[in-house]
Amino acid sequence: MTGKLDKKNIILERPSWDEYFLNISELVATRSTCLRRKVGAVVVKNKQVLATGYNGAPTGIIHCSEVGCMREELGVPSGERHELCRALHAEQNAFLQAARHGVSLSDAVLYITTQPCSICAKMIINVGIKRIVIAGDYPDEFALNFLKEAGIEIKVIKK
């Protein structure tokens, strides 16, 4: 947080822009229907929100919160066997929302509550995201290597 003085010399605490948008991603995550991990993503350009997404089943499909988690039932560790999940990841939903509305994400910043997986990392690269700000980790070093190789700036703000 950065402090500034108001007209009465009272210190006002305002979050940095990164903290502000990361806080919004945490609010977006509250819509998640995942039983294992609630993730939220916000895509921003020029300090304007372009798209948001949270992890959950596609539109019109029964949510995991209603039918249970196959990955949990099978004991699949976090970060593995994504194809067994009913849900799309938060980043994927944000990108699809932008595409549906014809919004370019080129040169945007992605704020996300959890480090992306390798599948999402590849999507981040191809949609043109230039910077990501992450609040939490995820067991996928492969994803971090992809992002670094692509020259995408990664900032971690631990909450």
Side-chain angles (χ1 to χ4, degrees):
M1 295 273 229
T2 56
K4 293 187 179 186
L5 298 177
D6 71 2
K7 292 178 184 177
K8 296 179 183 177
N9 290 328
I10 297 173
I11 296 176
L12 303 173
E13 292 294 326
R14 294 179 72 194
S16 68
W17 284 109
D18 284 344
E19 291 167 329
Y20 174 73
F21 290 117
L22 203 51
N23 287 341
I24 293 173
S25 75
E26 290 171 354
L27 179 61
V28 171
T30 65
R31 291 282 306 153
S32 170
T33 57
C34 181
L35 300 173
R36 296 179 92 176
R37 182 188 309 253
K38 297 197 177 302
V39 181
V42 177
V43 185
V44 174
K45 189 171 183 178
N46 299 322
K47 299 178 184 163
Q48 298 293 310
V49 174
L50 301 178
T52 64
Y54 53 87
N55 55 330
T59 303
I61 303 297
I62 297 172
H63 293 284
C64 302
S65 58
E66 298 173 54
V67 297
C69 176
M70 182 188 303
R71 296 177 73 232
E72 191 69 29
E73 292 166 12
L74 295 174
V76 177
S78 183
E80 298 179 16
R81 304 289 315 267
H82 298 280
E83 74 278 7
L84 296 177
C85 183
R86 298 180 68 79
L88 290 161
H89 287 185
E91 307 93 304
Q92 294 168 347
N93 273 323
F95 300 161
L96 291 168
Q97 180 187 80
R100 188 175 211 168
H101 296 288
V103 176
S104 170
L105 303 181
S106 184
D107 298 323
V109 179
L110 174 65
Y111 294 87
I112 185 160
T113 57
T114 304
Q115 176 206 305
C117 71
S118 57
I119 295 168
C120 290
K122 291 181 253 185
M123 291 181 183
I124 288 166
I125 294 164
N126 275 3
V127 299
I129 299 288
K130 294 300 178 199
R131 181 172 179 263
I132 62 173
V133 180
I134 306 165
D137 57 2
Y138 187 76
D140 195 337
E141 285 296 315
F142 196 51
L144 290 178
N145 292 337
F146 266 142
L147 295 167
K148 288 176 185 172
E149 183 179 342
I152 294 173
E153 179 188 342
I154 302 167
K155 180 177 181 179
V156 178
I157 298 177
K158 291 291 182 184
K159 294 279 184 163

